[in-house]
Amino acid sequence: MDAEVRAAIEIVPAAGTRERIIDITTTGRRTGRPRRIEIFFYRASGRTYLCSGTSGRPTSWYANLLAHPYFTFHLKHGVRADLRARAVPVTDEEERRRVLTEIVADLNQPHNPGTIAQPTHLRDWLDSRLAHVTFV
């Protein structure tokens, strides 16, 4: 992987909101057609994640990834790249809590208010859809 692309994926807590926004293209679970949406990505313990945030409601992108785990991860701010990726749901409660704790701590950084009300609390994220992303 190109060093510039790797740096864009390996964001640090100092990264701003804009650097965390990507698009993903999934395969529709019913239609089999491409579905592209804008979403935030997160880093925790040196790994990349997609997360639905605090609503706890079902999301189409997550349901699509459960049916078809391979998707395209589109970097679009600064570095532009379309990366083939695979999503694996994070279902183990201990792992979910550990990852979400890091995500929430990162979001509560004073320099990055973004679109999330601060402070945000772990309890509000525990029902989110969470998927680990690997690049293939």
Side-chain angles (χ1 to χ4, degrees):
M1 184 181 293
D2 178 271
E4 201 172 294
V5 170
R6 182 172 303 284
I9 293 168
E10 295 177 353
I11 58 172
V12 297
T17 301
R18 186 179 165 111
E19 296 164 286
R20 299 165 189 270
I21 299 172
I22 60 166
D23 286 350
I24 61 171
T25 300
T26 61
T27 300
R29 67 193 174 285
R30 286 179 262 187
T31 67
R33 294 170 44 193
R35 301 289 184 215
R36 186 168 177 152
I37 64 157
E38 185 174 78
I39 190 169
F40 284 90
F41 78 100
Y42 303 94
R43 294 285 290 178
S45 300
R47 298 172 80 181
T48 303
Y49 293 90
L50 299 176
C51 185
S52 64
T54 60
S55 76
R57 293 186 311 255
T59 59
S60 295
W61 67 264
Y62 187 78
N64 290 345
L65 290 174
L66 289 176
H68 305 283
Y70 290 92
F71 70 103
T72 304
F73 186 103
H74 305 279
L75 290 171
K76 62 183 192 172
H77 295 289
V79 175
R80 294 188 179 271
D82 299 324
L83 308 170
R84 194 75 181 128
R86 183 170 189 266
V88 176
V90 180
T91 57
D92 176 78
E93 289 304 316
E94 185 177 313
E95 181 182 5
R96 286 177 56 76
R97 183 172 285 276
R98 181 184 51 75
V99 169
L100 291 168
T101 296
E102 274 193 61
I103 289 171
V104 167
D106 187 14
L107 291 172
N108 282 324
Q109 299 284 329
H111 66 278
N112 186 36
T115 58
I116 297 179
Q118 289 189 342
T120 188
H121 304 281
L122 177 62
R123 68 179 176 268
D124 298 328
W125 288 73
L126 292 175
D127 289 334
S128 64
R129 308 304 184 257
L130 181 64
H132 171 241
V133 175
T134 55
F135 297 95
V136 296

